[in-house]
Amino acid sequence: MNLFNKIFFHLNKNLNQVISFNWKELALTIKNSKYLNNLDVPNKSVLIIEPNEFHAEILPGYCYYWNQLGYKVYLVVRHKNLLSGVFSRYNENEKPQLICMGHYGLKYFVKKNIIKSFDYTFITSTRLSNKYGFYGLFSDYLGYLPEGRKGYFLVEHNLESLKPYLESQKYDANKIFLLNAYNEDDFTIPMLNPNYFGKVKTPKKDKETVFITIGTVTERNRNFKELLEAIETLKTEKILNFKIYVIGRVDKGVEISKLPKEIIFLGYLSFTEMYIKLEEAHYFLPLLDPEIKGHQRYLKGETTGSWQLCQGFIKPPIIRKEFSETYLFSNKNAILYEKNGLDSALIQACKLSVDKYSSLLEEMEALRDKTRTSSIRNLKNKIN
């Protein structure tokens, strides 16, 4: 890259930073930093911090778990997540004290001694990923690790990338939680899966079967091509009483106008809207394929967000058998299929009787409760 290109790249990056900067978030950061700095922190309180503009879906569950253990919850959250509707199923008396603050708030505005006034800090992402800005460990960005007077805890979403920092003892493995338990490579890290979203309801199994898949439609995240092929098989078999909600952004290679009419592409939704569609659906489609390299990470310490959505909204998944053991799915609470078997699994789901579907729901509810109970116990054990 010559000197001119370097200068242009630098100016363009800085311009993008200015254009994309959330000035309202800055105003709220300054206002809420003053609030936090002057807060009379009560006994048995926790400061939960999500530094990113994503991962909102994990926040209701984590706030709920701390609340269940008797803690007053203060949640530092980005402006985008504040407006996301992620707490829309919470009762008003359940909601944490929300503190809208940019990732820079704890670095430049909030006094460290105030953070030390909380019993614990609970950081729900070890990494900060800021568009046109910093990418790396959140504690490296801050220059310190926010810690309450009794300590801190961290949630890791991709264990493989954190292992070097655990091996070097930059982080204490005893302070780490994962969305699913991990017991390999000399590391034993407990599960803390946030599958609570508030009050939810399940649909009756009627003539039309509704499937749902959530997340960016790219090969790295889901095998959408296999779904399209399965739809054609169902139509050949004269099974027409179904539809599939697709929520999320779509890769540039996918032409929405050419999708089958059975696919209802809803695009990016707020959590409030997404919850409604989840309640309408009978089954969840993770569309994971162990033969796609990008999906193999979900077998190696990274947990798909589909897992907590399936449990929290009691949605039996239709999922490849290779992933079932990792996520505690079986023929009792899910419909499992093998290579090239998605079409048969969808046919089975459409034809399932009301009684058998009700049995799937009961088993999914049991898995949800077991995961929730184990998570609360794991958190309690670390605190004690």
Side-chain angles (χ1 to χ4, degrees), residues 146-328:
E147 189 169 354
R149 61 188 180 86
K150 292 184 178 180
Y152 71 92
F153 296 106
L154 300 169
V155 177
E156 176 52 45
H157 299 263
N158 184 341
L159 183 61
E160 287 298 313
S161 61
L162 192 71
K163 279 182 180 179
Y165 302 105
L166 298 178
E167 291 167 350
S168 67
Q169 298 184 341
K170 180 181 179 75
Y171 290 137
D172 182 351
N174 292 317
K175 303 292 185 181
I176 305 292
F177 288 105
L178 295 173
L179 300 183
N180 201 359
Y182 186 88
N183 297 289
E184 296 180 27
D185 305 328
D186 298 325
F187 294 114
T188 299
I189 301 179
M191 170 189 70
L192 197 63
N193 187 275
N195 68 18
Y196 179 83
F197 297 90
K199 188 176 181 180
V200 302
K201 57 185 179 181
T202 55
K204 293 181 179 179
K205 184 74 166 66
D206 49 27
K207 292 182 179 179
E208 184 179 53
T209 302
V210 182
F211 303 96
I212 191 168
T213 185
I214 298 174
T216 305
V217 181
T218 62
E219 184 179 279
R220 185 176 186 273
N221 293 301
R222 60 206 71 248
N223 191 340
F224 202 67
K225 180 181 177 182
E226 186 178 21
L227 176 62
L228 297 178
E229 292 171 352
I231 290 172
E232 293 307 309
T233 300
L234 265 66
K235 291 160 76 172
T236 300
E237 295 291 327
K238 306 299 183 185
I239 297 175
L240 307 173
N241 57 339
F242 71 95
K243 62 184 177 183
I244 303 170
Y245 290 145
V246 178
I247 297 175
R249 296 182 177 87
V250 174
D251 187 61
K252 293 179 181 179
V254 179
E255 295 186 53
I256 297 172
S257 61
K258 294 184 179 180
L259 294 176
K261 65 180 179 61
E262 290 80 10
I263 288 184
I264 313 298
F265 177 70
L266 299 170
Y268 180 82
L269 299 180
S270 69
F271 280 94
T272 304
E273 297 167 313
M274 186 186 78
Y275 292 163
I276 293 171
K277 294 303 177 184
L278 269 166
E279 288 185 327
E280 293 177 7
H282 298 99
Y283 300 98
F284 198 103
L285 300 175
L287 301 178
L288 296 177
D289 186 340
E291 295 178 20
I292 295 176
K293 186 176 180 180
H295 298 196
Q296 292 168 7
R297 68 189 192 274
Y298 295 123
L299 295 169
K300 299 176 180 179
E302 185 172 345
T303 301
T304 170
S306 300
W307 195 40
Q308 51 258 31
L309 289 174
C310 287
Q311 293 181 80
F313 283 84
I314 318 176
K315 299 296 156 195
I318 298 176
I319 189 168
R320 277 285 290 263
K321 192 174 182 179
E322 290 87 342
F323 293 89
S324 60
E325 184 177 350
T326 300
Y327 296 106
L328 306 178

Side-chain angles (χ1 to χ4, degrees), residues 27-59:
L28 288 169
T29 297
I30 295 171
K31 175 185 176 182
N32 289 328
S33 295
K34 291 179 180 178
Y35 161 77
L36 198 53
N37 286 333
N38 293 309
L39 181 66
D40 185 10
V41 179
N43 291 328
K44 206 170 186 184
S45 58
V46 60
L47 183 66
I48 299 179
I49 303 166
E50 173 49 63
N52 295 297
E53 291 186 319
F54 45 88
H55 287 158
E57 74 281 354
I58 65 177
L59 300 177

Side-chain angles (χ1 to χ4, degrees), residues 66-125:
W66 280 97
N67 185 265
Q68 289 296 294
L69 294 176
Y71 282 79
K72 171 69 176 175
V73 178
Y74 294 83
L75 173 61
V76 172
V77 66
R78 298 292 296 275
H79 189 242
K80 183 177 179 180
N81 285 344
L82 180 73
L83 301 178
S84 68
V86 74
F87 285 98
S88 59
R89 292 304 176 92
Y90 256 53
N91 294 322
E92 281 301 317
N93 61 350
E94 287 183 302
K95 288 182 180 179
Q97 181 66 48
L98 294 167
I99 303 170
C100 180
M101 189 174 293
H103 57 284
Y104 45 82
L106 292 175
K107 182 172 184 176
Y108 297 113
F109 298 114
V110 177
K111 299 175 183 176
K112 292 181 184 179
N113 64 313
I114 285 296
I115 296 174
K116 205 74 175 177
S117 300
F118 292 88
D119 287 68
Y120 295 98
T121 54
F122 184 79
I123 304 168
T124 56
S125 298

